Amino acid sequence: MKATIYDVAREAGVSIAAVSQVMNGKGKISEERRGEIIKIMERLNYQPSVIASALTGKKTYTLGLLVPDISNPFFAEIARAVEDQGHHMGYSLVICSSDNKDERVERYLNLLQQKSVDAMIIGTGMDNKDMLTPLMERAIPIAMIAREMPDIDVHTVVVDDFVGGALSATHLLDLGHRRMAILAEHSKVSSSRERVRGFKSKLEEAGAQLPENSVRNCHYVVADGKREALELLDQSNPDRPTALFCCNDLLAIGALQAAKQLGLRVPEDLSVIGFDNTILASVTDPPLTTVAQPIEPMGKMVVDLLIQELKKESKAKQRVVMRPELIVRQSTAAPTECD
Amino acid sequence: MKATIYDVAREAGVSIAAVSQVMNGKGKISEERRGEIIKIMERLNYQPSVIASALTGKKTYTLGLLVPDISNPFFAEIARAVEDQGHHMGYSLVICSSDNKDERVERYLNLLQQKSVDAMIIGTGMDNKDMLTPLMERAIPIAMIAREMPDIDVHTVVVDDFVGGALSATHLLDLGHRRMAILAEHSKVSSSRERVRGFKSKLEEAGAQLPENSVRNCHYVVADGKREALELLDQSNPDRPTALFCCNDLLAIGALQAAKQLGLRVPEDLSVIGFDNTILASVTDPPLTTVAQPIEPMGKMVVDLLIQELKKESKAKQRVVMRPELIVRQSTAAPTECD
DNA sequence: TTGAAAGCGTTACCAG
DNA sequence: CTGGTAACGCTTTCAA
């Protein structure tokens, strides 16, 4: 069996208290004893039980990460950034994919609580904001990443989605597009809503108008994006858009596939713009113009915020907004007029 | 504060043992009391502490997943499959990215032990097989996924990598290629070694020969693949290969990028074949011919194997080998002769 | 049926 | 400095 603190104490001929102290560097122990004890710990290959120490009120050194889908490259990249910084600070990560379903969110939230994670990072949307109140009552630090929950006092790390949408609109307008449409995520996703808002606002500024029914809400998967794009690009529609703003790279890929299926060339016949700048954007055909989020800094930041709160070094919840950046690749170009 | 079993007991006017029993459905309790207690638990929003119950010898209901890099789409997809099945069985997942570095593997292995995960899923290679022995001594169930560790008695779920390599070779040979090269992963990765073996064996069967120095070991990132491909495709080389077999999709993407940079058309001037059939393969330019692994069944299988062992329902370690499938897309074609 | 009590492995307080 | 010892929240005998 695994060696316990008792084994070490017995072997060293001291009390468990002494052993505990050398582990935590607390209390006073003679250098001599300390050295001996350490030697014994090594010999026995003693590994203190996180479980036991957590029970006495200490931390579990575990963070929960709730995202819609870890197999979505954007969230996988977020997870990696969070994992790295967490690991760096001595924390490990349990990941949960919610599929944007409230019931799954709730289950996972409960589970993570029962497992006493030290803090929670939430990158998934949810309709019912009350789901977080139990956590807040229990004073479990919470941070949102790439997503917001207004009216709730938690840390938040986001990119300026409004600006990201605006950036895209400006790019498309500059290129000469006037008839555009949007592939948005599920309406419960705050970031997507903001992107749409930013995009529209620039359009209005420029006097351009979105045709009726041209903002499509999709679940965040490729198939949905494709289906909606297919409808939007329906040849029989005289007002067919010349450009599509997609609220994430996956949707953009769906749009690309739809275009290919319809025999539309990108970017000649249709411009497509994505969001997130995941690895996908760099490998598509053609490579995707997209709005980049600074994923790594964002991941690092949430962890820092949370750990700071855990150490009680911080008082107020912070909201940090990072700058998006338009990455122009080859899926956007001036529209070729042919009406 | 959080309600404990004591709160419930006091409120219900019973002993904590009674409460414990209704939670675990053990022992005998009158229906009457049972109902009351349940009511109280709900009223108090009581959530038993996994930590505490784990300390008394029960499980933590947590699985560790060790992969090279969670932001690599292949492993992200694996993680999702594992998470789903785990969640289904009541387990959560802590993920660890090793970057294929033994020191990181070791750190994580220790960490997961200290946190008392119930079992470990390993999808990362390691040089030093002894790292697993402490786990085995402590009887922590281990399963390898998409990777093997010979000489070690653990569950293993892999695709038949040898066959996958052979499939690729056959495809390329049928197309008429004779001069080929390979972009392999780090030599410590068993799956990659097998793929190379399978590929070579078919080549030899056909009397084709790999030129000197044409199996390149790369770390598993795109940049490496590109750099090596650049060398392999060096124009000044009269024996420049007409086809590249890449041991994963990421490497294939690197090859695609190298080809583009050199002005080589794919598949006309160069055929490229990947492995894994991640989402990446379907979106590249051109879409990638690749060998598919049944990721979801594999993820489900490891979890089942492990849980089965945890329940002591199983005796021997199993090794399950699944069938790879060649997915032909547009990155492979007959070579155009021009020597 | 029910409850008292002994752990599980640590931490932390408090006397020596 | 050092060692007892009471928690921590739950499970599990063992009596009653």
Side-chain angles (χ1 to χ4, degrees), chain B residues 126-142:
Chain B
M126 54 191 113
D127 292 324
N128 182 359
K129 26 205 89 200
D130 296 336
M131 287 195 292
L132 292 183
T133 57
L135 297 191
M136 303 186 66
E137 281 166 7
R138 285 173 193 177
I140 298 178
I142 302 176

Side-chain angles (χ1 to χ4, degrees), chain A residues 1 49 61 65 73 145 174 193 199 256 266 285 298 306:
Chain A
M1 262 321 279
S49 157
Y61 290 94
L65 174 63
I145 186 168
D174 286 352
R193 291 196 307 268
F199 189 87
L256 252 26
V266 175
D285 167 24
M298 288 170 70
L306 253 16

Side-chain angles (χ1 to χ4, degrees), chain B residues 141-169:
Chain B
I142 302 176
M144 306 285 306
I145 186 168
R147 213 122 298 186
E148 299 213 53
M149 285 288 276
D151 315 326
I152 291 213
D153 191 34
V154 295
H155 295 290
T156 305
V157 178
V158 285
V159 86
D160 195 326
D161 291 300
F162 186 90
V163 167
L167 243 32
S168 307

Side-chain angles (χ1 to χ4, degrees), chain A residues 50-51 60-65 70 79 82-83 86-87 90-97 108 111-112 115 117, chain B residues 60-68 70 75 78-80 82-84 86-87 90-98 107-123 303 306:
Chain A
V50 174
I51 296 290
T60 54
Y61 290 94
T62 302
L63 265 21
L65 174 63
I70 189 66
V82 170
E83 182 202 334
H87 186 231
Y91 286 76
S92 32
L93 235 209
V94 7
I95 53 153
C96 310
S97 298
Y108 270 127
L111 218 69
L112 292 174
K115 296 201 176 170
V117 298
Chain B
T60 54
Y61 290 95
T62 303
L63 266 22
L65 174 63
L66 201 48
V67 295
I70 188 65
F75 292 106
I78 289 268
R80 180 51 139 108
V82 170
E83 183 202 334
D84 279 353
H87 186 231
Y91 287 75
S92 32
L93 234 210
V94 6
I95 54 153
C96 311
S97 297
S98 73
R107 266 204 60 170
Y108 271 126
L109 248 25
N110 280 331
L111 218 70
L112 292 173
Q113 262 179 91
Q114 293 183 206
K115 296 202 175 167
S116 308
V117 297
D118 295 331
M120 217 99 92
I121 299 168
I122 302 184
V303 174
L306 253 14

Side-chain angles (χ1 to χ4, degrees), chain A residues 55 114 265:
Chain A
L55 190 56
Q114 292 182 209
R265 292 164 308 163

Side-chain angles (χ1 to χ4, degrees), chain B residues 121-272:
Chain B
I121 299 168
I122 302 184
T124 186
M126 54 191 113
D127 292 324
N128 182 359
K129 26 205 89 200
D130 296 336
M131 287 195 292
L132 292 183
T133 57
L135 297 191
M136 303 186 66
E137 281 166 7
R138 285 173 193 177
I140 298 178
I142 302 176
M144 306 285 306
I145 186 168
R147 213 122 298 186
E148 299 213 53
M149 285 288 276
D151 315 326
I152 291 213
D153 191 34
V154 295
H155 295 290
T156 305
V157 178
V158 285
V159 86
D160 195 326
D161 291 300
F162 186 90
V163 167
L167 243 32
S168 307
T170 302
H171 175 61
L172 258 15
L173 285 166
D174 286 352
L175 250 22
H177 292 274
R178 283 300 172 275
R179 290 197 319 278
M180 314 182 214
I182 302 180
L183 251 33
E185 293 182 49
H186 193 292
S187 60
K188 80 173 72 169
V189 179
S190 64
S191 57
S192 175
R193 290 195 307 267
E194 278 305 288
R195 290 168 196 179
V196 171
R197 257 195 354 107
F199 190 87
K200 280 181 168 172
S201 91
K202 266 289 180 261
L203 248 49
E204 278 161 25
E205 248 177 51
Q209 203 60 50
L210 277 180
E212 197 66 21
N213 198 20
S214 58
V215 179
R216 302 302 183 95
N217 289 106
C218 315
H219 209 69
Y220 56 96
V221 290
V222 179
D224 268 38
K226 180 173 177 183
R227 185 164 41 69
E228 296 293 337
L230 243 20
E231 279 189 39
L232 247 15
L233 300 173
D234 181 8
Q235 307 287 19
S236 65
N237 177 0
D239 281 341
R240 190 159 56 73
T242 61
L244 246 34
F245 170 53
C246 308
C247 286
N248 67 228
D249 289 343
L250 250 15
L251 289 171
I253 284 170
L256 253 25
Q257 294 181 350
K260 181 172 276 184
Q261 178 170 324
L262 294 172
L264 258 27
R265 291 163 307 162
V266 174
E268 295 84 349
D269 305 324
L270 177 75
S271 283
V272 174

Side-chain angles (χ1 to χ4, degrees), chain A residues 83-130:
Chain A
E83 182 202 334
D84 279 351
Q85 183 65 7
H87 186 231
H88 191 228
M89 310 297 289
Y91 286 76
S92 32
L93 235 209
V94 7
I95 53 153
C96 310
S97 298
S98 73
D99 279 335
N100 276 331
K101 302 229 179 69
D102 274 24
E103 93 227 30
R104 279 184 73 119
V105 172
E106 183 143 33
R107 264 204 61 171
Y108 270 127
L109 248 24
N110 280 331
L111 218 69
L112 292 174
Q113 263 179 88
Q114 292 182 209
K115 296 201 176 170
S116 308
V117 298
D118 294 331
M120 219 99 93
I121 299 168
I122 302 183
T124 187
M126 55 190 112
D127 292 323
N128 182 359
K129 26 204 88 197
D130 297 336

